[in-house]
Amino acid sequence: MTRPDARTALLFGVTAAASALTGPVPAAGVILLSAGLAALTGVSWKRLLPLAGSFAFFLVLVPFAPGPVARAVLQGLGVSLAVVVSVSAARWDRLVAVFQALGAGRVAVAFFAITLSHLDAAGRDARVAFDALLLRGGFRGARGLGRSTSLHLARTLRRAFERADRTADALELRGFAGRVPPPPAFRAGPADIAAGAASLLAVAVAVGSRLSWSR
Amino acid sequence: MEPVKVVLEGVSHRYPGARSDSPAPVSAVLHAGEKVLLEGPVGTGKTTLLLRIAGLREGPGRVLAGEREVTRRSAAEIRRAVGFLWQNPDDGLFLPGVLDDVALGPLNDGVSPDEALGRARLHLEGVGVAHLASREVTTLSRGERQLVALAGLLAREPGLLLLDEPLSALDAPSRERVLALLASSPATVLLATHEGSEAARHAGFRAAIRLVAVAPAHATEGG
């Protein structure tokens, strides 16, 4: 299945996060819905594992916590998963368009767009630096680990600053005056229908849960 | 846009702490519409010379673009006519979507969004990557990003193209296509390369500026 439009993904992120905040049952529902949407739209499990891992750590600590924190952990996991899945599933280029459609100013839109690209390039630089250090025998032993980590950080930061300078020059050369192309026309695909259905389900679970509590 | 004549008079640059100029003083004339190779080994100042012409670096000597001297004050106006391709294409790509990025230049020149997107499609097709229009930049190979960056420059229809190693990540068919496209462009083209010079000469480029790595470095104009 293709990835959903950023507008649909945003709808899911907002409704699912809001639903998860209403109680533990909706939060559990949102966790399932987010996992389902992630599987359908091909969001990498590697991206979700650190998040799930950190919450698993919290769950281990729940019995030792002084108050009833299990509910908060469950809701936190629900909100976090909804946000991470919606952002990961959305197309980044459409995300910029959505930001613009939401009425953000030209400078803010440009800053957001350029930051996205810059972060990606900086991430690539960091990976290359890490691989280069590994191939030259870095990260071996406790001493080597510390030295290689500091070298890696220094090189990544230096590259990021150099890149920022070149970005400023390149923006001038491309005549940038703060305008980016408008968002493309919305056309719902299977992924958008899935994300829309998941949003409705999240709201339905939250409303149903509220109604059953009030009886 | 009209092709731009470029005159270089003793243009050089010395980086802080360096013992020699990089480039050493260069004097040359690029006639309007001419296709010129800028050759020289690594470290002889090819990129710096391109940046000087674009008004992004200052130093000894004079650069004239059209009738005007390139200075800090005039640079902004002159850059409207300049298309600059960076050696690392990532440096010149800003938006996550390919089509949006190529349309960025024309859009900021005041063209309507529809026309900017139309021009973007046209120039993506020109460099042979129309099929990438709906892709995200992060998913492209280096060669594909280089072609998208080139389409982004051409979409502004500049009068002067300053290209830093544009052929380095391209396969043979893409090189031929790009060189043929540049050779048929009305713009003045200065192409810095230490690869693909032969192919460029076949496409109609003349080797007018050769930077030489000697101490102190010096440059010659030939043809």
Side-chain angles (χ1 to χ4, degrees):
Chain A
M1 188 180 282
T2 55
R3 291 153 72 188
D5 189 280
R7 284 159 275 201
T8 332
L10 193 69
L11 175 74
F12 173 74
V14 171
T15 52
S19 302
L21 287 172
T22 61
V25 175
V30 164
I31 291 168
L32 289 175
L33 285 170
S34 301
L37 191 63
L40 276 174
T41 54
V43 173
S44 165
W45 286 102
K46 282 182 190 166
R47 190 169 277 197
L48 303 179
L49 272 179
L51 183 70
S54 60
F55 274 95
F57 180 69
F58 280 132
L59 285 172
V60 170
L61 295 178
V62 162
F64 307 103
V69 292
R71 175 191 166 120
V73 169
L74 198 64
Q75 285 179 279
L77 180 60
V79 171
S80 305
L81 263 183
V83 171
V84 170
V85 167
S86 59
V87 170
S88 304
R91 288 190 49 156
W92 289 72
D93 52 344
R94 302 286 163 84
L95 217 55
V96 177
V98 168
F99 201 58
Q100 188 177 45
L102 288 173
R106 277 183 184 183
V107 174
V109 170
F111 180 77
F112 181 61
I114 291 159
T115 302
L116 284 183
S117 301
H118 195 76
L119 279 179
D120 180 70
R124 257 201 305 270
D125 280 347
R127 277 196 297 277
V128 168
F130 182 80
D131 292 345
L133 276 167
L134 260 185
L135 289 170
R136 294 183 66 182
F139 300 106
R140 276 194 202 148
R143 203 171 156 197
L145 183 71
R147 193 178 290 170
S148 300
T149 306
S150 56
L151 272 173
H152 181 242
L153 270 176
R155 180 172 145 171
T156 304
L157 275 175
R158 199 190 73 214
R159 286 280 172 93
F161 283 124
E162 286 171 0
R163 188 177 291 284
D165 284 343
R166 286 197 300 273
T167 300
D169 286 346
L171 276 172
E172 275 196 56
L173 286 170
R174 289 193 67 186
F176 187 66
R179 296 181 74 194
V180 296
F186 178 74
R187 267 187 238 147
D192 294 295
I193 294 167
S199 307
L200 281 176
L201 270 172
V203 173
V205 172
V207 172
S209 169
R210 279 274 148 197
L211 287 176
S212 65
W213 273 103
S214 62
R215 275 179 200 161
Chain B
M1 189 167 284
E2 291 293 306
V4 176
K5 178 183 175 183
V6 178
V7 179
L8 308 174
E9 294 175 356
V11 177
S12 66
H13 194 83
R14 182 169 293 195
Y15 285 96
R19 289 185 180 177
S20 59
D21 291 339
S22 171
V26 183
S27 295
V29 178
L30 281 70
H31 297 286
E34 202 174 15
K35 319 299 175 209
V36 176
L37 279 174
L38 170 60
E39 293 178 310
V42 175
T44 47
K46 297 190 293 292
T47 301
T48 308
L49 185 61
L50 295 179
L51 292 170
R52 279 293 308 272
I53 297 171
L56 287 169
R57 296 286 181 276
E58 287 185 309
R62 286 204 322 157
V63 178
L64 297 163
E67 300 299 317
R68 298 196 63 180
E69 182 175 355
V70 180
T71 60
R72 267 197 189 282
R73 194 172 290 177
S74 67
E77 192 187 321
I78 287 163
R79 277 183 215 133
R80 169 64 194 88
V82 173
F84 193 105
L85 186 72
W86 298 80
Q87 192 169 4
N88 180 350
D90 287 341
D91 292 335
L93 298 169
F94 300 113
L95 296 182
V98 166
L99 188 67
D100 287 352
D101 192 275
V102 177
L104 186 76
L107 194 68
N108 282 279
D109 288 338
V111 167
S112 73
D114 283 346
E115 194 186 332
L117 291 168
R119 268 204 219 173
R121 284 194 189 90
L122 187 76
H123 288 283
L124 281 170
E125 197 176 338
V127 297
V129 290
H131 59 286
L132 301 178
S134 62
R135 293 267 296 273
E136 288 176 76
V137 171
T138 54
T139 64
L140 306 181
S141 71
R142 187 186 165 95
E144 287 171 333
R145 286 201 296 271
Q146 210 158 26
L147 290 170
V148 169
L150 182 61
L153 308 187
L154 297 172
R156 288 186 80 196
E157 296 169 357
L160 172 63
L161 283 166
L162 303 172
L163 310 172
D164 195 359
E165 303 287 354
L167 312 172
S168 59
L170 304 184
D171 56 21
S174 299
R175 274 186 189 196
E176 277 177 30
R177 181 196 291 267
V178 165
L179 285 169
L181 186 73
L182 294 173
S184 65
S185 155
T188 309
V189 182
L190 182 58
L191 188 153
T193 183
H194 59 263
E195 284 177 47
S197 300
E198 274 310 307
R201 282 193 192 88
H202 281 301
F205 280 75
R206 76 174 174 102
I209 305 174
R210 291 193 197 94
L211 304 180
V212 187
V214 288
H218 68 274
T220 58
E221 180 178 7

